[in-house]
């Protein structure tokens, strides 16, 4: 494969996030999704109707063709087995976040990929948002001085289905990993302390005991600053995300995911991420997240989840 060749991705998982990747890469001149794997017949029928080849399993896909890379958007609990299947076939993997339900699963997926000598990138798409990249450069260049406080919020327009929420690991593993990765990446600092608290009622009885509708976490950063992560599943108008950084010499606030813009920001970032993954496979260079990032983020997410569990057990309304 030469640098100018089209990079052929196979998508594993045609659910909500898989469909976002398909939309983001439609018409892309560098990366193309031509094959889709999904065990659900209706999902395969939908992508077949759109002109793509569909298969019930990765083994069925590999029996017919070997893509340049595998884009894994299946449920989180399957990330490890799919990474292992790709590694066995020598196929590089772009794995949706968080790359496992806990740090051990993410580390094992990375170990399997490293042993096989294949590229393995974790899909934290915010690293490809130009506004956030410029903010990171400002922080690294000292424009804001020493970072004192970071506030990061992610509020979705509505909750996902109960079937997803009960198997996703909860709000910090499902949603909060984006904020944890973003804070580490922006500041260049590890998260060293976590304290979390749930907020408000759980509106869907089917997910009580598995998930909450909103939660906040206060983080301690390695250089002494702090960060606040605010998560929620009810935001009028659609999905939103903001970040605000306070330093000793400056301040900046961004709403980089605005409901008024729909999915445009995410789609543009997903396309840049896929192109960067192709660069990783071709040259070994990437601006994306790796296994060590995924492990650190999941460690923080599970500390936050443990805090939520204790807070719920201590609640008088329990």
């Amino acid at each position: 494969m030469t640098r100018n060749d089209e990079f052929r991705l196979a998508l594993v998982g045609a659910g909500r996030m898989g469909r976002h990747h398909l939309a983001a890469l439609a018409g892309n001149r560098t990366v193309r999704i031509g094959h889709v794997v999904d065990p659900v017949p209706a999902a395969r029928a939908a992508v077949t109707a759109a002109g793509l080849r569909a298969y019930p399993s990765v083994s069925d896909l590999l029996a017919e063709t070997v893509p340049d890379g595998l884009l894994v958007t299946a449920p989180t609990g399957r990330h490890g087995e799919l990474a292992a299947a790709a590694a066995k076939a020598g196929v590089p993997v772009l794995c949706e976040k968080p790359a496992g339900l806990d740090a051990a699963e993410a580390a094992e997926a990375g170990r399997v990929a490293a042993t096989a000598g294949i590229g393995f990138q974790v899909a934290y798409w915010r690293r490809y948002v130009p506004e956030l990249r410029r903010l990171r450069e400002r922080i690294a260049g000292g424009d804001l001085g020493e970072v004192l406080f970071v506030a990061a919020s992610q509020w979705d327009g509505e909750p996902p289905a109960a079937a997803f929420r009960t198997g996703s690991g909860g709000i910090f593993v499902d949603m909060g990993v984006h904020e944890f990765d973003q804070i580490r990446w922006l500041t260049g600092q590890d998260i060293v302390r976590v304290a979390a608290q749930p907020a408000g009622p759980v509106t869907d009885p089917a997910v009580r005991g598995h998930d909450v509708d909103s939660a906040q976490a206060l983080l301690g950063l390695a250089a002494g600053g702090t960060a606040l992560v605010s998560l929620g599943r009810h935001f009028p108008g659609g999905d939103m995300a903001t970040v605000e950084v306070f330093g000793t010499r400056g301040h900046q606030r961004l709403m980089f995911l605005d409901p008024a813009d729909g999915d445009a920001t995410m789609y543009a970032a997903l396309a840049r991420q896929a192109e960067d993954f192709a660069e990783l496979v071709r040259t070994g260079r990437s601006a994306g997240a790796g296994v060590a990032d995924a492990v650190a983020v999941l460690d923080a997410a599970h500390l936050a989840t443990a805090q939520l569990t204790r807070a719920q057990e201590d609640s008088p309304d329990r």
Side-chain angles (χ1 to χ4, degrees):
M1 180 177 61
T2 65
R3 185 177 180 84
N4 293 324
D5 287 338
E6 183 178 65
F7 190 87
R8 301 173 304 115
L9 272 178
L11 176 72
V12 184
R16 178 175 178 269
M17 198 63 208
R19 292 192 296 273
H20 281 314
H21 282 277
L22 285 168
L25 290 172
N28 191 284
R29 297 182 179 182
T30 302
V31 180
R32 180 176 67 88
I33 298 175
H35 303 82
V36 177
V37 174
D38 198 292
V40 179
R44 295 200 301 275
V47 297
T48 299
L52 304 175
R53 299 293 300 273
Y55 308 83
S57 70
V58 171
S59 59
D60 290 315
L61 164 74
L62 296 175
E64 182 175 307
T65 185
V66 178
D68 298 322
L70 211 63
L71 172 53
V72 173
T73 60
T76 302
R78 296 193 61 214
H79 288 180
E81 68 178 83
L82 292 168
K88 184 176 180 180
V91 180
V93 175
L94 174 57
C95 185
E96 254 305 332
K97 60 81 183 169
L101 287 169
D102 58 34
E105 287 187 9
E108 176 62 12
R111 186 196 66 77
V112 168
T115 300
I118 63 167
F120 188 89
Q121 183 174 328
V122 183
Y124 280 105
W125 60 263
R126 296 183 188 178
R127 294 179 178 225
Y128 300 92
V129 175
E131 291 174 296
L132 292 175
R133 293 175 73 93
R134 288 192 290 271
L135 174 56
R136 182 174 186 254
E137 290 168 1
R138 288 194 69 200
I139 293 171
D143 288 358
L144 304 184
E146 298 296 321
V147 173
L148 299 173
F149 179 62
V150 182
S153 299
Q154 180 187 177
W155 282 69
D156 288 351
E158 59 184 13
F164 172 82
R165 294 177 71 182
T166 55
S168 67
I171 199 166
F172 282 111
V173 173
D174 168 32
M175 292 177 67
V177 288
H178 269 305
E179 273 59 47
F180 296 142
D181 181 71
Q182 179 179 288
I183 289 165
R184 293 182 72 251
W185 174 70
L186 284 174
T187 65
Q189 297 181 42
D190 285 331
I191 297 166
V192 295
R193 292 181 304 281
V194 178
Q197 184 73 28
V202 178
T203 55
D204 186 347
V207 304
R208 288 177 186 160
H210 299 277
D211 196 16
V212 297
D213 285 10
S214 177
Q216 279 57 246
L218 182 64
L219 313 178
L221 304 180
T226 58
L228 177 68
V229 171
S230 177
L231 306 173
R233 299 195 183 276
H234 303 276
F235 188 78
D239 298 350
M240 64 82 74
T242 66
V243 65
E244 189 167 15
V245 181
F246 297 81
T248 55
R249 292 206 300 270
H251 160 267
Q252 186 168 350
R253 182 182 187 276
L254 298 172
M255 176 180 273
F256 60 90
L257 191 62
D258 188 332
D261 299 328
D263 294 319
T265 296
M266 181 175 67
Y267 282 5
L270 291 177
R272 294 186 192 99
Q273 177 177 256
E275 292 165 1
D276 183 67
F277 175 63
E279 184 73 9
L280 170 68
V281 175
R282 288 165 169 158
T283 69
R285 297 190 297 271
S286 171
V291 174
D293 298 307
V295 168
V297 165
L298 279 165
D299 276 337
H302 275 273
L303 286 172
T305 300
Q307 294 274 343
L308 284 192
T309 301
R310 285 194 288 272
Q312 289 172 304
E313 289 174 347
D314 295 340
S315 171
D317 299 325
R318 183 173 178 267

